[in-house]
Amino acid sequence: MRILVINPNTTASMTTKIGAAAKRIAAAGTEIIAVNPRSGPASIEGYYDEAISLAGLLQVIGEHPGCDASVLACFDDSGLDAARCLADCPVVAIGEAAFHMASLLANKFSVVTTLARSVPAIEHNLHRYGLAARCARVRSSEVAVLDLEHAAGPARAKIDAEIRRAIEEDRAEAIVLGCAGMADLTASLSDQHGLPVLDGVACAVTLCEGLVRLGLKTSRLGGYAAPAKKDRKSA
Ligand code: 5HY
């Protein structure tokens, strides 16, 4: 099977890291195609970046028909519903995937994300997915997305400290890492803190493989009907 893994920001080094995390978990016979748009923000932190990233995201989906499934690798699940309408395959977003998997492993989980401005969108998604009651708290580590690319040491120390606070203050029984750029920290953080630490990229790839094996496709009956043919002027 072929899984299209989309990093909706334009930072190629982050796409490489996300692709490596996807390949690490993918089953034998699963081909991972990791891509990012040519246009859009270098990182997505909050509502404005999210809105600016959507045109590039949808363009990339349109340019890669014929995949068996697709992963939306940005933790605020930006553009998920529109992507599901356009893509000719199931689309799984990394936030939604990690929340569902964490709920299978723990009564309560906490999310550790990047900046404070990214928190509200993640909280809204938890409510939208009906999983807010399972999340003790969405915490920001005050690590910018691109700091994960350049300053991994100091960034990791901040994430580490926030996980410790989530365990002590939230009584979190599992941790969801709130950025695709944290994927390479998952195993060592889980070992260090002695609880399940989930990376959304790995969770989403695994769910995609399951959907494909079950032969399941996105329903076209209602909100995810394919876009209607109409005149859409572009700038
Ligand atoms: C992400 N932004 O996973 C999100 C994290 C965030 O560019 N990739 C990004 O802060 O919402």
Side-chain angles (χ1 to χ4, degrees):
M1 73 175 76
R2 298 170 75 231
I3 299 180
L4 181 68
V5 176
I6 308 167
N7 168 23
N9 71 42
T10 54
T11 300
S13 62
M14 203 169 160
T15 306
T16 304
K17 183 197 287 187
I18 291 168
K23 287 171 185 147
R24 261 196 305 277
I25 197 68
T30 295
E31 182 191 354
I32 298 291
I33 302 138
V35 297
N36 58 258
R38 293 179 296 283
S39 63
S43 67
I44 298 167
E45 292 157 336
Y47 298 128
Y48 181 78
D49 292 340
E50 185 179 336
I52 297 292
S53 73
L54 297 183
L57 164 67
L58 296 174
Q59 186 179 25
V60 161
I61 291 174
E63 291 167 353
H64 293 85
C67 291
D68 299 292
S70 183
V71 169
L72 216 169
C74 180
F75 201 81
D76 59 10
D77 300 352
S78 42
L80 176 58
D81 294 323
R84 282 184 174 149
C85 294
L86 179 62
D88 58 2
C89 64
V91 179
V92 177
I94 65 171
E96 188 176 25
F99 301 151
H100 280 292
M101 285 211 174
S103 301
L104 301 175
L105 304 170
N107 294 289
K108 287 267 179 163
F109 61 87
S110 286
V111 176
V112 175
T113 190
T114 56
L115 302 178
R117 64 172 52 225
S118 293
V119 169
I122 296 168
E123 290 172 338
H124 289 163
N125 286 343
L126 282 159
H127 283 283
R128 215 158 68 84
Y129 304 147
L131 289 169
R134 304 299 296 277
C135 180
R137 186 160 166 201
V138 179
R139 292 172 166 270
S140 68
S141 59
E142 288 314 312
V143 171
V145 170
L146 295 181
D147 285 351
L148 292 161
E149 297 305 297
H150 313 307
R156 187 212 156 90
K158 287 181 174 179
I159 296 165
D160 210 14
E162 207 55 43
I163 291 176
R164 213 185 308 283
R165 280 189 281 275
I167 295 169
E168 284 156 15
E169 298 166 17
D170 310 344
R171 313 211 65 67
E173 299 170 11
I175 299 292
V176 169
L177 296 178
C179 179
M182 295 175 183
D184 56 341
L185 302 175
T186 314
S188 60
L189 286 169
S190 185
D191 294 347
Q192 184 179 337
H193 293 280
L195 82 173
V197 174
L198 292 90
D199 151 46
V201 174
C203 295
V205 168
T206 305
L207 286 176
C208 279
E209 289 179 325
L211 290 171
V212 174
R213 267 201 299 280
L214 290 165
L216 294 170
K217 300 254 185 220
T218 305
S219 172
R220 298 300 180 200
L221 288 184
Y224 293 142
K229 296 217 175 332
K230 64 179 75 174
D231 184 20
R232 291 187 179 88
K233 292 190 172 51
S234 53

